[in-house]
Amino acid sequence: MRPHAHDSPTQRILAVFDWLFRWFSEPDYRGCSFINSFGDLGVTSQAVADIAKAHKDAFRRYLADLVAAADAPAWPTDQLVPLAEGAMTTAAISGSPEPARHAKDAARTLLRAAHADVATAA
């Protein structure tokens, strides 16, 4: 991911979804390997479950850092994560990169609401 090439912290968050669109557009995209591995082996292998959880926790921290840098309240992080994760799964099943665009639109709406909360509280 190269969201740091964007000007504002909010643009950096939205760039995550642009990166997802490019990833989903790759001809060999079959979904997130961590989600797939957890689905296949997570119940029977604690090691697989732990690795998948660690990866997803790191992704959440990455988004949380981007949200904090955007001077937004923390709550959008808990909504942005399932948007991205759901887009990964939906893109793999549908064979289309479009879930990344839909998730980006929803993320933009969330971020506007978060910034409105900050402005209202001030």
Side-chain angles (χ1 to χ4, degrees), residues 54-117:
H55 173 74
K56 296 306 178 179
D57 287 346
F59 180 63
R60 186 193 183 290
R61 284 190 307 276
Y62 177 74
L63 284 177
D65 290 345
L66 292 176
V67 168
D71 293 326
W75 64 259
T77 301
D78 291 328
Q79 296 176 354
L80 291 168
V81 171
L83 280 175
E85 298 292 344
M88 290 175 207
T89 303
T90 303
I93 293 169
S94 70
S96 169
E98 289 304 311
R101 287 196 175 140
H102 300 292
K104 181 180 179 179
D105 291 342
R108 186 179 290 112
T109 300
L110 284 170
L111 294 169
R112 284 184 187 137
H115 284 103
D117 281 354

Side-chain angles (χ1 to χ4, degrees), residues 3-121:
H4 303 290
H6 298 276
D7 295 333
S8 77
T10 298
Q11 288 175 327
R12 289 183 194 127
I13 295 167
L14 297 175
V16 169
F17 297 92
D18 295 334
W19 184 88
L20 289 174
F21 183 87
R22 288 190 301 277
W23 182 33
F24 301 166
S25 297
E26 293 176 4
D28 61 346
Y29 178 74
R30 301 289 180 264
C32 171
S33 297
F34 294 94
I35 293 171
N36 294 343
S37 296
F38 182 83
D40 289 343
L41 302 169
V43 173
T44 59
S45 171
Q46 189 61 49
V48 169
D50 290 345
I51 291 168
K53 184 177 180 338
H55 173 74
K56 296 306 178 179
D57 287 346
F59 180 63
R60 186 193 183 290
R61 284 190 307 276
Y62 177 74
L63 284 177
D65 290 345
L66 292 176
V67 168
D71 293 326
W75 64 259
T77 301
D78 291 328
Q79 296 176 354
L80 291 168
V81 171
L83 280 175
E85 298 292 344
M88 290 175 207
T89 303
T90 303
I93 293 169
S94 70
S96 169
E98 289 304 311
R101 287 196 175 140
H102 300 292
K104 181 180 179 179
D105 291 342
R108 186 179 290 112
T109 300
L110 284 170
L111 294 169
R112 284 184 187 137
H115 284 103
D117 281 354
V118 169
T120 302

